[in-house]
Amino acid sequence: MAIQILRKYLLVITFCFYYSWGQISKFEIKEYHPVSDEITSLDFKPTKFNWSIGNRFLLFDEVKNQILEVDKTGELTFPSGFNTNSIYGQFVWMGVIPEGIGVVDRLQNTIHFLDFRLNLTSTIKFEPKLYPEMVTISSWGKFYFYSKAYNSIYSFDRSLHNAMPFVDLSKERIPNNCFMDMVLNKDGDLAILSCSGTIYFFSMNGKLEVSAPVEIDDPKYIISIKNDWLVFNDDGNVFSMETGMKYKVPEVSMPILDIKSNNNSIAILSLNQIFVLDVK
């Protein structure tokens, strides 16, 4: 009994020590990328982004429905071969895929495939017409779409051009169909964050494993990093779903417009700048 108490006591000491230093050592600014004057002169205002290749980023202006790529020197690359500001389309996701760069159009129910110079190589339509609000992609290149119209998550088989049901959220008796973010980890497990501040975790086979509340106000973004799920709000507060710990990102990186992870790094899109943070 004494040994068990001692172990618990040492665990508490370790926990408290880690927590006390978490805000200092957990997130460390690694890189800083200001938005170039050229982007500003184009009246392009990025509200979403994603990692590209070679230390570059894809930027997305949701109001203009336009996409471009920027490298660390500020040099810009523009898509070629498809209309990036069509009034008939609405892009909801862009990112690196095995074939190059993928761009998902919600209203057209299409995926545009681009090479790494952002030249259009092909476009495919998926069925059924899901009008997906959120998109994420697995490490092996499979797309997952959240459709509010169907209140379901679909996986997409590119060889069949067919989206297949992955999770029917109505059958899971989830009390609402309002969601903020959806992410996969490297093992294929999926997390989806509800507007009420609860995260639902699904296995790679689509089985609901657990749900849990997020203990920060107005949670908005999920990332998977290392063996943890971190949840952020616009004010830079962070909650670890694995440990229950709370952190704060460096104040200079706020307000947060969007956030993405890549290996052990986190990129934050703020006003006119991108910060890359190392997770310690």
Side-chain angles (χ1 to χ4, degrees):
M1 174 68 80
I3 293 176
Q4 290 178 345
I5 293 173
L6 179 60
R7 285 176 177 171
K8 289 181 180 178
Y9 180 69
L10 290 174
L11 180 62
V12 169
I13 292 176
T14 303
F15 180 87
C16 293
F17 178 81
Y18 184 71
Y19 180 78
S20 67
W21 286 98
Q23 294 187 11
I24 298 173
S25 62
K26 186 71 174 180
F27 302 105
E28 182 179 282
I29 294 178
K30 176 182 177 182
E31 298 174 18
Y32 164 68
H33 302 265
V35 172
S36 68
D37 292 339
E38 185 177 356
I39 292 178
T40 303
S41 68
L42 294 170
D43 196 29
F44 183 95
K45 297 178 181 178
T47 51
K48 298 289 183 183
F49 81 133
N50 210 340
W51 299 84
S52 186
I53 62 164
N55 205 28
R56 301 198 294 264
F57 290 96
L58 297 162
L59 304 180
F60 175 37
D61 183 329
E62 292 177 287
V63 175
K64 290 190 170 184
N65 201 43
Q66 292 181 343
I67 294 169
L68 58 80
E69 184 183 66
V70 61
D71 67 13
K72 62 182 178 180
T73 68
E75 182 176 348
L76 306 182
T77 303
F78 297 89
S80 174
F82 77 110
N83 191 352
T84 63
N85 60 355
S86 170
I87 61 173
Y88 302 107
Q90 181 185 11
F91 302 141
V92 292
W93 183 89
M94 76 254 167
V96 175
I97 58 176
E99 298 88 342
I101 302 293
V103 179
V104 177
D105 189 316
R106 173 179 175 268
L107 297 183
Q108 297 295 313
N109 291 284
T110 56
I111 304 174
H112 301 287
F113 294 87
L114 290 74
D115 62 24
F116 288 118
R117 294 185 178 181
L118 301 192
N119 298 306
L120 181 67
T121 58
S122 64
T123 298
I124 60 175
K125 285 185 173 290
F126 50 83
E127 295 290 343
K129 293 181 178 180
L130 301 174
Y131 304 100
E133 278 81 11
M134 292 187 295
V135 181
T136 188
I137 190 170
S138 70
S139 56
W140 50 91
K142 178 179 284 190
F143 285 91
Y144 290 80
F145 303 136
Y146 165 68
S147 170
K148 186 172 183 177
Y150 289 87
N151 196 30
S152 296
I153 300 168
Y154 286 73
S155 61
F156 178 69
D157 187 334
R158 277 171 281 182
S159 63
L160 301 174
H161 294 192
N162 188 39
M164 298 167 288
F166 178 68
V167 176
D168 185 336
L169 296 171
S170 299
K171 291 183 179 179
E172 299 294 346
R173 298 183 180 178
I174 293 174
N176 60 61
N177 64 344
C178 175
F179 297 96
M180 301 296 297
D181 201 6
M182 181 176 72
V183 173
L184 286 158
N185 67 11
K186 64 182 185 302
D187 298 321
D189 302 317
L190 184 145
I192 187 166
L193 172 65
S194 75
C195 298
S196 62
T198 298
I199 292 191
Y200 300 88
F201 297 96
F202 296 88
S203 70
M204 64 183 301
N205 297 318
K207 179 182 178 182
L208 178 62
E209 296 191 322
V210 69
S211 62
V214 179
E215 296 179 11
I216 56 174
D217 293 333
D218 304 318
K220 191 171 180 180
Y221 313 96
I222 320 168
I223 63 167
S224 169
I225 194 160
K226 297 184 177 179
N227 294 314
D228 202 352
W229 302 90
L230 299 180
V231 187
F232 296 71
N233 64 16
D234 287 337
D235 297 323
N237 297 306
V238 189
F239 183 73
S240 164
M241 299 303 297
E242 181 69 22
T243 66
M245 308 265 297
K246 295 180 183 179
Y247 303 99
K248 186 82 171 179
V249 300
E251 188 171 351
V252 70
S253 62
M254 296 185 285
I256 295 174
L257 299 180
D258 199 9
I259 184 165
K260 302 295 179 185
S261 64
N262 185 21
N263 297 322
N264 290 332
S265 294
I266 296 171
I268 294 176
L269 174 65
S270 187
L271 294 174
N272 301 318
Q273 54 203 349
I274 296 172
F275 292 92
V276 179
L277 310 180
D278 265 345
V279 178
K280 301 294 186 180

